Amino acid sequence: MLDTVPRAKLTRRSWLGVCLAAPIAVAATGLPAPALARSKARGIERILSFHHQNTGESLKVVYKADGRLIPENLLRIDHLLRDWRNNEVKHIDPDLLDLLWDLQQKLEVEERITVLSGYRTPATNAMLRRRRRGAATNSFHMKGQAIDLRIAGRSTKQIRNAALALNRGGVGFYPSSGFVHVDTGAPRAWRGV
């Protein structure tokens, strides 16, 4: 059967009109173009995969789907990122999880995140401060807002550069120790040992 629906003829003038109308359509939504793109991506499942270096535990989980956090999977992440020295669990900031997901997108990897340190109790943080320099007095680790990590297939320098490009929090670069710290505090950067 023949298609009987008339088709519009695309001329240079009509193509120019489409190209000029697109930014106006985006502006009409009230969202900047990147925000509009993110809102269309709400249907994406956000998956994070972890391996904790100190406990040997691994976890691959959908923490957000259709723009909504999945509470039972957040609890599983909280448990994996607990203070492994005393098994104390704290709620991990969902903004940190989004930062990790965005970091993986920026690095174009789906490799699991190797966790060196997630949540730390004040007692653990104080112990680390006594043992070595570098642990902050008011560490974001104690708030569930920081992670020290590695990602297979990417150097610490690549991870640090990608985290800096996101401009979404603190970025500590520890090349001698082979890890990067990211947190959801104010954007800032430092180099450790």
Side-chain angles (χ1 to χ4, degrees):
M1 177 180 256
L2 293 174
D3 185 5
T4 58
V5 177
R7 297 187 185 266
K9 185 175 179 182
L10 192 60
T11 65
R12 273 195 263 180
R13 180 170 286 172
S14 63
W15 177 247
L16 181 61
V18 167
C19 292
L20 291 174
I24 294 168
V26 169
T29 67
L31 297 171
L36 182 63
R38 281 193 304 273
S39 70
K40 288 183 179 180
R42 287 186 187 263
I44 294 174
E45 288 185 337
R46 291 189 171 212
I47 300 170
L48 288 172
S49 179
F50 299 100
H51 175 75
H52 201 296
Q53 171 180 287
N54 297 299
T55 66
E57 297 168 322
S58 294
L59 174 67
K60 183 174 185 178
V61 67
V62 176
Y63 76 94
K64 187 184 272 188
D66 296 325
R68 292 194 172 105
L69 296 167
I70 302 172
E72 60 272 16
N73 289 343
L74 294 178
L75 292 174
R76 295 172 69 197
I77 293 171
D78 293 348
H79 178 76
L80 183 100
L81 297 180
R82 71 192 181 279
D83 186 330
W84 59 273
R85 290 172 179 88
N86 62 18
N87 281 330
E88 189 171 321
V89 176
K90 181 166 181 78
H91 178 64
I92 300 300
D93 182 4
D95 289 341
L96 179 63
L97 303 179
D98 286 339
L99 175 61
L100 294 174
W101 192 83
D102 290 341
L103 181 61
Q104 287 188 311
Q105 302 310 300
K106 186 82 170 163
L107 289 165
E108 298 178 351
V109 296
E110 293 182 6
E111 301 296 326
R112 66 185 181 183
I113 296 166
T114 299
V115 178
L116 284 72
S117 183
Y119 169 64
R120 291 184 200 150
T121 63
T124 295
N125 200 66
M127 179 268 298
L128 291 173
R129 285 185 54 74
R130 285 189 304 272
R131 281 192 185 172
R132 63 176 184 246
R133 294 180 306 187
T137 304
N138 295 314
S139 172
F140 281 93
H141 286 280
M142 296 188 299
K143 301 173 187 176
Q145 296 178 299
I147 187 170
D148 296 338
L149 61 93
R150 296 183 184 118
I151 299 176
R154 296 295 185 260
S155 69
T156 52
K157 187 174 183 180
Q158 289 172 314
I159 297 167
R160 183 233 16 221
N161 290 346
L164 289 171
L166 291 174
N167 195 35
R168 297 243 308 272
V171 180
F173 180 48
Y174 296 84
S176 299
S177 301
F179 72 90
V180 174
H181 164 103
V182 294
D183 66 51
T184 57
R188 64 210 187 288
W190 65 94
R191 183 183 178 115
V193 289

